[in-house]
Amino acid sequence: MAAGHSAYAVSAHGRSLMCAGLHDGSIRVWSRSTGEHERTLQADADGEEEAADEAVRALAVWEGRLISGHECGKLRVWDVATGECGQVLEGHDDAVWALAGCGSRLASGCCDGSIKVWAMAAGAPWACERELVVQLPLPHLSAARHSVTPPTPPPPSLAAAYSSPSAGRAG
């Protein structure tokens, strides 16, 4: 990886490739057996400001495709072999920080607490089936995307459980 680049997400793509999503919106692909750089996947960005919003925050693999979740709220579905982006899924209003595939469904988690469930179909456009909204219990998780506030300490009744080395053990 070039100096000055930070990987935000890493994923194994099958048995032969390793992928890393970077802050500049690119996805670097390496051979797992040789460690050689194979290709770079890059989304088309319209201008410098949009490119800064394209940071890759999450990666997942489904049936030979790589799915990337971005700072801008978009998901992209890539054919890693050709380097082409086959679909762009829109629906989140903020950064997508988590992706998980199970069967023919993909769940994408956004930093605003929303989770979208997408129906994945080979050769067809993917569609959002439903949205789940999670009430975030920790105020610092729902802070503005570029500012970070310290977490709220646990209530006194839980503080002992968090700090005690024997917490949670049967005695």
Side-chain angles (χ1 to χ4, degrees):
M1 197 164 14
H5 284 79
S6 298
Y8 288 143
V10 178
S11 177
H13 186 72
R15 293 184 178 183
S16 60
L17 300 174
M18 182 67 73
C19 303
L22 305 179
H23 76 282
D24 66 358
S26 67
I27 300 169
R28 305 289 165 87
V29 181
W30 294 272
S31 165
R32 288 178 70 182
S33 61
T34 67
E36 295 292 319
H37 178 254
E38 300 249 332
R39 69 190 60 86
T40 299
L41 310 177
Q42 182 71 53
D44 294 328
D46 297 328
E48 189 175 312
E49 187 174 308
E50 186 175 326
D53 238 12
E54 293 296 326
V56 178
R57 296 292 185 171
L59 293 172
V61 177
W62 180 76
E63 290 194 7
R65 291 171 184 80
L66 181 69
I67 302 110
S68 57
H70 295 263
E71 182 78 21
C72 61
K74 294 178 185 174
L75 292 103
R76 289 188 168 81
V77 183
W78 301 90
D79 180 328
V80 177
T82 66
E84 292 186 23
C85 178
Q87 292 188 63
V88 177
L89 307 175
E90 297 188 39
H92 286 292
D93 294 328
D94 214 333
V96 176
W97 284 2
L99 295 169
C102 183
S104 62
R105 302 293 181 268
L106 172 73
S108 57
C110 182
C111 69
D112 67 3
S114 67
I115 298 168
K116 294 197 180 289
V117 179
W118 305 84
M120 302 183 293
W126 297 4
C128 181
E129 288 186 328
R130 69 181 62 151
E131 179 174 5
L132 310 170
V133 179
V134 177
Q135 296 298 319
L136 297 174
L138 300 175
H140 71 283
L141 292 177
S142 59
R145 85 159 92 149
H146 295 294
S147 66
V148 178
T149 57
T152 307
S157 60
L158 294 177
Y162 285 126
S163 61
S164 170
S166 61
R169 294 186 195 156

